[in-house]
Amino acid sequence: MNKVNSIFSTDSFFLHFSTFLADAEKFRQKINEAKYTIKDEQISSRVLSHWHKLGILKDNRIDKKGWRKFSISEMIWIRIVIELRKFDYPLSKIKSVKESLDKANRKDEEQSSCILLDFYIASTIATNKPIKLLAFSNGEGIIANQNEIDLSLSTNFIKDNYISIDINPIVRKFIPIVQETDYLDYGITNIEKEVRATFYFEDV
């Protein structure tokens, strides 16, 4: 698949992502602890098995037997898949979206099913910016905050139409967040930008 759409990544993104990789180990362990069952999301075992076979979900059971439990990160991904299916977005393309997000994973990564999703889960907690997953007709997938998406649209990094899934309410379902996401005015002043540019991800 030839990549058509991308996010205009700023120095701030690389700084925060690097900090997250270096300092958020406890946070990542917590949101990747498998403790939820399929009953929590009312998804049939048949559907779950089909998603495993397609590679939409990673089956981490020993010999693929026994009850499957999921982490917060995986449950958030499951909710994203459910939302995409409401738009009749094909499962084959959902797999491609997952592969697009997984490109950020490190080769030695065992703990997280998607390190980029983990990062934006943390971003949802640390800031009040709307976080969106964009799914394109060719199976490309992008996750970014609204400012990054707007910048990418204005610089023609995003060329195609897309389905947009709001990550913030999905994250709130599993991780209590005190502050409300600012959808009406997600732009912030230069002073606020300077302050937030120094934020780091604390353990929750």
Side-chain angles (χ1 to χ4, degrees):
M1 178 179 64
N2 293 325
K3 190 173 182 180
V4 177
N5 306 281
S6 60
I7 286 294
F8 187 97
S9 297
T10 62
D11 290 341
S12 176
F13 166 81
F14 290 113
L15 173 64
H16 291 155
F17 191 61
S18 297
T19 301
F20 177 75
L21 293 178
D23 299 336
E25 190 67 22
K26 288 183 180 179
F27 170 81
R28 294 183 57 228
Q29 286 176 353
K30 189 165 187 175
I31 67 169
N32 284 283
E33 179 185 355
K35 58 182 180 180
Y36 292 88
T37 65
I38 57 172
K39 293 181 181 178
D40 296 312
E41 287 296 307
Q42 299 181 338
I43 300 172
S44 71
S45 58
R46 181 184 61 81
V47 169
L48 198 62
S49 177
H50 187 50
W51 289 1
H52 281 141
K53 288 179 181 177
L54 291 177
I56 291 171
L57 289 172
K58 181 180 179 182
D59 192 345
N60 58 11
R61 294 173 299 172
I62 298 175
D63 297 328
K64 298 183 179 180
K65 295 179 180 179
W67 287 103
R68 172 78 158 90
K69 290 190 176 181
F70 300 92
S71 66
I72 289 175
S73 182
E74 288 174 314
M75 293 298 285
I76 289 169
W77 170 244
I78 288 171
R79 288 303 311 174
I80 292 170
V81 173
I82 291 171
E83 291 301 314
L84 287 172
R85 292 298 290 152
K86 288 179 182 178
F87 291 95
D88 291 325
Y89 196 72
L91 288 172
S92 60
K93 291 185 178 179
I94 291 176
K95 180 184 177 182
S96 295
V97 168
K98 181 72 165 57
E99 290 171 348
S100 294
L101 302 182
D102 283 343
K103 287 180 180 177
N105 288 356
R106 298 178 296 195
K107 290 183 179 180
D108 62 343
E109 191 65 36
E110 296 179 357
Q111 161 184 297
S112 175
S113 58
C114 183
I115 201 168
L116 193 60
L117 179 58
D118 288 355
F119 169 73
Y120 278 106
I121 291 170
S123 296
T124 300
I125 298 167
T127 75
N128 68 339
K129 294 178 183 177
I131 307 293
K132 306 285 180 64
L133 179 133
L134 311 185
F136 298 88
S137 60
N138 65 351
E140 284 184 298
I142 288 174
I143 185 168
N145 68 51
Q146 189 66 59
N147 288 337
E148 293 167 337
I149 292 169
D150 290 345
L151 179 59
S152 300
L153 286 166
S154 66
T155 53
N156 206 33
F157 275 60
I158 294 177
K159 300 177 176 64
D160 297 337
N161 292 330
Y162 52 82
I163 296 171
S164 176
I165 305 298
D166 189 353
I167 302 299
N168 299 71
I170 297 175
V171 172
R172 273 195 211 100
K173 181 175 180 179
F174 299 99
I175 304 174
I177 300 173
V178 175
Q179 63 185 2
E180 290 295 321
T181 305
D182 187 354
Y183 290 96
L184 296 178
D185 184 15
Y186 54 80
I188 57 177
T189 66
N190 288 334
I191 293 175
E192 287 175 304
K193 286 179 182 178
E194 290 175 8
V195 171
R196 291 187 183 182
T198 63
F199 86 82
Y200 61 96
F201 298 96
E202 296 180 340
D203 297 335
V204 295

